[in-house]
Amino acid sequence: MNIVVTVKLVPDLVEELVINASGTALDMTATRLKLNECDDHAIEQAVLLQERGAGQVTIIAPDVEGVDDALYTAAAKGTVRLIKLTRRWDSASNHALARVFANAVEVLQLRPELILTGVQAHNDLDGTVGPILAEHLGMPYVGYVSSVKISGSDQVTVRKEYPGGLLAEMQVTLPAVLGIQAADKPPRYVPISKIRQTMKTATIETFPAAELEPGGAVAVSRMFQPEIGARATMLEGDADQVGARLIEIFKEQSVL
Amino acid sequence: MDTMPAPTPSFTDKFYANLRQLPNGERIKSCLQCGMCSSVCPFGFVMDYPPSRMVAALRADIFDRVVKTDTVWMCISCYACTEVCPARIPLTAVLMSRAKEELLLAGKVPAELQIALENSQRYGNVLGQSPRKRADWAKGIRPPVAVMGKDKKETDVLWFVGDYASYHPRVQLTTRALARILDALGVDFGILGADEVSDGDSQRLAGERGLFETLAEKNGQALRKYKFNRILTTDPHAYNALKNEYPALGISYPVQHHTQFLAERLDQLKPLLKQPAKVTVAFHDPCYLGRANNVYEEPRALLKAIPGLELVEMSHNHATGLCCGGGGGGMWMEGFHWEKAHARTSEWRVREAVAAGADTLAVACPYEPPRFEDAAKGIKEAIGLAVADVAKLLADSMVVE
């Protein structure tokens, strides 16, 4: 079984976010990228399936800063084929990204029975990648998946999470795209020695990405840091002053 | 005569052979099985294989059983076992760390530890903070703390600040106190700022040798860019790494812990200590200052120089000092340790401080202020026990005209 995992790198929220001069997007020169958390789970799920004898795993990612580290770390978890999509990636909407992923899958003739991708990312502005990718490839899509088991030559059993704490188990006939919320097990730790070994042995293939078509994306008119609302009071001062004022306020409001 | 085919080496054979190649690893052969290591180990009582039993498992060719347990993670690398071993076996640095490495390679890592190691990989600090903010603790300090590369390229003292001293709000009190003392003493110093990463020593002792080497290389590259005469640090773990581990990686500089550095300048410092402190202080020997590096008297000499301060000793002191629980990855496995042991060494320690008649527990390691303060909150007789680094106590007593 061919398993393809499409992943993207997203702004690392540990660093301060800076808005660009035009005020419509992040300043990417000041932004550090990291693998999207749900995509990390998608990789883990694929490696778990591979370890259970499911077949060959291919990971596809846009060629942005930090992509090599992310791909080698993934390869250190299990034997996988690594492909990065080369082009200038200033910003790509999920619609554009999904088209590029679909194009790579078709042109490279990856013939996946199963495509796994993170169900969401914190920078999704125009829907999520999974369903759009499924539409382009003419495959069904199941999202919010938290477990995948192979249950037949062309079938998997997935567990899908619904709001309100409900779970559903369903049979999915392949090929299909799954939006992974969480892998069967949390993503494993990879010791640096293993990553270093992988860097020596694994290769990252490159594939020129198709044109980024803007269709379907949203137009951002203004991007800004949260502003202080009319009903918010900001407390100034050092920790002791702020603490003392907080206690006063709690007393005024009869909370204390 | 027929030669016997060479037997396939067992897991134990391979592991044992590897241990013997490590510094002083061959001494494991001279283990007497006296069991002192296991009885002195603060968490020996919950380990499936405390150190002496581990050696027995090596000899019995059943070490694969050891790495199937997870209580190896109870080791807090405090050097208590190494200190008492009559055969001078490097139990902490070699046996326990290699056993942890095997668990790590097999993917048996407590979730809390995994987060700390991933943070170290990605951000260069275990706290997962922005590397760009590493020098933010120095904001507002006058005169400004010089950042190497930005403010100067040459300095007398290169201050290696370390993770907790840089980022942890509670530990920053110590860091700022030392900056004040250095300024008062007229020391020419600079910090690496965003170029500095975690010293990696506790990650090494938690079995992540590769991560330690990566971090050490980054620090080595940063240090090689500048000219300085010595390295100073408030962190005994950084001190241990820089003094005993980095030289083998080609990174070799004279290094001092701040208590050594200040004790050397006691004549200059003493006249500044004018504000009396009416406190009874017990000094907690950090494992990586005391047992691992035999520095015991300098912090005590500094404390005695503070007017009005009375120094008392706890039942465990000097080489028998009781670990705060933070070493060898323990700093990042509080939940795991509680689950296994339902005990915290930091709680035993604050009880000892109170029993010794102390109202203040003096420390000299960045792991300790938050650990002991937290422990004191939950121990009835220790509520109100003050915890402060030697540098903070000195700075509080200092009057500079």
Side-chain angles (χ1 to χ4, degrees), chain A residues 34 52 129 174 197 210:
Chain A
K34 68 177 291 192
R52 295 177 204 146
V129 173
L174 304 179
Q197 257 172 5

Side-chain angles (χ1 to χ4, degrees), chain A residues 12 14-16 29-35 65 73 186-196, chain B residues 101 104-107 109 114 117-118 121-123 128-133 208 210-211 213-214 217:
Chain A
D12 186 341
V14 162
E15 303 290 357
E16 301 277 345
T29 59
T31 304
R32 206 178 155 203
L33 298 174
K34 68 177 291 192
L35 184 64
E65 172 259 317
T73 304
R188 65 196 73 186
Y189 181 70
V190 194
I192 280 217
S193 58
K194 271 195 189 172
I195 300 178
R196 283 185 164 183
Chain B
E101 190 174 14
L104 205 79
L105 290 167
V109 191
Q114 175 167 348
L117 298 176
E118 284 172 350
Q121 279 194 16
R122 175 158 181 87
Y123 304 108
Q129 296 290 309
S130 161
R132 295 172 196 168
K133 294 181 183 166
E208 229 311 13
L211 178 58
E213 287 174 3
T214 305
E217 279 165 24

Side-chain angles (χ1 to χ4, degrees), chain B residues 151-325:
Chain B
D151 303 311
K152 54 179 172 180
K153 288 203 154 32
E154 220 177 308
T155 189
D156 177 25
V157 175
L158 189 292
W159 180 2
F160 187 95
V161 186
D163 284 356
Y164 283 84
S166 295
Y167 291 110
H168 196 294
R170 174 61 185 82
V171 187
Q172 285 173 349
L173 299 181
T174 307
T175 317
R176 292 199 196 101
L178 182 63
R180 229 188 108 213
I181 298 171
L182 295 180
D183 178 50
L185 294 178
V187 175
D188 172 31
F189 71 98
I191 61 171
L192 291 171
D195 280 355
E196 183 186 287
V197 294
S198 175
D199 55 88
D201 213 41
S202 291
Q203 292 91 324
R204 173 179 67 87
L205 292 152
E208 229 311 13
R209 173 91 207 167
L211 178 58
F212 166 75
E213 287 174 3
T214 305
L215 293 167
E217 279 165 24
K218 283 187 187 166
N219 281 323
Q221 280 168 12
L223 291 167
R224 273 189 279 274
K225 284 197 261 180
Y226 310 112
K227 262 193 165 165
F228 53 87
N229 298 318
R230 80 209 72 193
I231 298 177
L232 169 69
T233 183
T234 61
D235 188 338
H237 300 275
Y239 172 69
N240 185 63
L242 286 157
K243 180 168 172 258
N244 302 319
E245 301 294 328
Y246 279 24
L249 302 169
I251 307 156
S252 191
Y253 300 100
V255 56
Q256 282 186 311
H257 185 254
H258 68 296
T259 56
Q260 295 173 300
F261 183 87
L262 296 177
E264 270 183 16
R265 287 157 185 76
L266 199 48
D267 290 345
Q268 196 192 346
L269 184 62
K270 213 165 181 172
L272 303 176
L273 305 176
K274 290 177 191 159
Q275 181 69 44
K278 290 267 163 270
V279 286
T280 307
V281 173
F283 177 66
H284 164 82
D285 289 281
C287 308
Y288 281 79
L289 197 59
R291 277 189 294 271
N293 286 294
N294 285 308
V295 179
Y296 295 110
E297 297 315 319
E298 287 87 338
R300 289 178 169 81
L302 290 168
L303 289 169
K304 284 181 197 157
I306 297 173
L309 183 148
E310 192 199 339
L311 186 65
V312 293
E313 293 293 349
M314 292 181 277
S315 46
H316 289 95
N317 61 73
H318 292 78
T320 65
L322 178 64
C323 179
C324 74

Side-chain angles (χ1 to χ4, degrees), chain A residues 169-181:
Chain A
E169 211 166 67
M170 49 180 84
Q171 298 283 339
V172 181
T173 304
L174 304 179
V177 180
L178 302 179
I180 302 293
Q181 163 107 328

